[in-house]
Amino acid sequence: GEDVEQSLFLSVREGDSSVINCTYTDSSSTYLYWYKQEPGAGLQLLTYIFSNMDMKQDQRLTVLLNKKDKHLSLRIADTQTGDSAIYFCAEKGNQGGKLIFGQGTELSVKP
Amino acid sequence: GAVVSQHPSRVICKSGTSVKIECRSLDFQATTMFWYRQFPKKSLMLMATSNEGSKATYEQGVEKDKFLINHASLTLSTLTVTSAHPEDSSFYICSAPDRKNTGELFFGEGSRLTVL
């Protein structure tokens, strides 16, 4: 079945780069997403990548996709304290367009 | 971008009462909306898919009679937690898909339910 896995925690120092990793199982996924959730709030789409791409860059965010290994990563350059949040990786499933979410990676940025 | 709004953002109720949560798409029409439940420090669990004008599709293990979903218009879906119990306390989030076929979901702000 469809499954998305992420590590649960990541701690970095302000100014460093953060890399959040994700693996998925559905090779037919057409889109893969990164969402950010701040405490007590809903989810905010950060970026997405189409499955025929291997990289997408948007300001401080870089998404890398290794379709062969079914591995997705999100790199945040010059991480700030405001980046502290939970980051969810998601894939678009093949049933009714539902998104399948990973468990979320809690990013902690220390000053 | 598109906006999805949920109401109320927080609700506290007594055990045995019912609570209704509204999810509105503010500047677009949504024939489909998704209801998720999130436990503390946990991922999102899809509860059901709300379909405008027809019955909701529930995920395995979700009680239809417990979590009533109504999608009466193209901009409003409601989730009613009936006869709420403390174990129903959770963060409920609705979402609606982008009309473009990217599959992007726009999420509401979430509703924190606490059942005493």
Side-chain angles (χ1 to χ4, degrees):
Chain A
E2 300 155 331
D3 195 17
V4 179
E5 298 279 340
Q6 295 177 242
S7 53
L8 296 181
F9 300 101
L10 176 65
S11 180
V12 301
R13 291 213 173 271
E14 192 173 18
D16 289 349
S17 292
S18 307
V19 179
I20 302 171
N21 294 300
C22 169
T23 57
Y24 60 98
T25 57
D26 185 358
S27 58
S28 66
S29 295
T30 51
Y31 290 93
L32 295 127
Y33 310 83
W34 284 104
Y35 280 86
K36 177 183 179 182
Q37 184 182 32
E38 296 183 0
L43 274 69
Q44 171 197 0
L45 179 69
L46 284 179
T47 187
Y48 66 89
I49 188 167
F50 189 48
S51 60
N52 69 352
M53 299 168 64
D54 49 24
M55 188 183 90
K56 182 178 180 181
Q57 187 158 3
D58 182 4
Q59 299 182 330
R60 293 191 297 123
L61 305 179
T62 303
V63 178
L64 296 178
L65 174 61
N66 182 327
K67 199 172 179 183
K68 173 175 169 288
D69 294 338
K70 301 194 190 79
H71 182 266
L72 183 73
S73 68
L74 173 70
R75 179 176 181 270
I76 305 173
D78 187 25
T79 313
Q80 303 297 306
T81 54
D83 295 324
S84 294
I86 299 177
Y87 290 81
F88 290 95
C89 165
E91 63 169 351
K92 184 179 181 183
N94 55 15
Q95 295 183 21
K98 294 181 292 189
L99 293 195
I100 310 299
F101 286 86
Q103 312 94 311
T105 299
E106 184 173 349
L107 174 64
S108 173
V109 182
K110 301 189 187 314
Chain B
V3 177
V4 174
S5 178
Q6 271 184 253
H7 177 80
S9 57
R10 292 180 183 273
V11 57
I12 300 172
C13 69
K14 291 182 180 178
S15 191
T17 60
S18 294
V19 174
K20 181 186 284 187
I21 301 170
E22 294 185 345
C23 178
R24 293 182 185 274
S25 56
L26 296 186
D27 54 356
F28 68 106
Q29 294 180 333
T31 56
T32 301
M33 288 186 179
F34 300 100
W35 285 95
Y36 288 86
R37 180 174 178 175
Q38 186 178 33
F39 297 93
K41 304 287 188 179
K42 295 290 186 183
S43 186
L44 301 162
M45 181 192 82
L46 180 63
M47 299 173 65
T49 302
S50 171
N51 304 299
E52 188 270 335
S54 65
K55 291 182 181 179
T57 305
Y58 289 82
E59 296 298 304
Q60 193 172 9
V62 178
E63 298 177 60
K64 300 178 185 182
D65 296 333
K66 175 74 172 174
F67 299 99
L68 298 179
I69 290 173
N70 186 298
H71 196 149
S73 78
L74 287 170
T75 58
L76 174 64
S77 175
T78 60
L79 167 68
T80 301
V81 182
T82 62
S83 186
H85 290 283
E87 57 265 31
D88 299 324
S89 298
S90 194
F91 194 55
Y92 294 89
I93 311 177
C94 72
S95 66
D98 188 354
R99 280 178 292 180
K100 295 176 288 189
N101 198 27
T102 61
E104 177 183 354
L105 289 182
F106 296 103
F107 282 84
E109 311 93 323
S111 299
R112 170 75 60 193
L113 170 63
T114 302
V115 185
L116 302 176

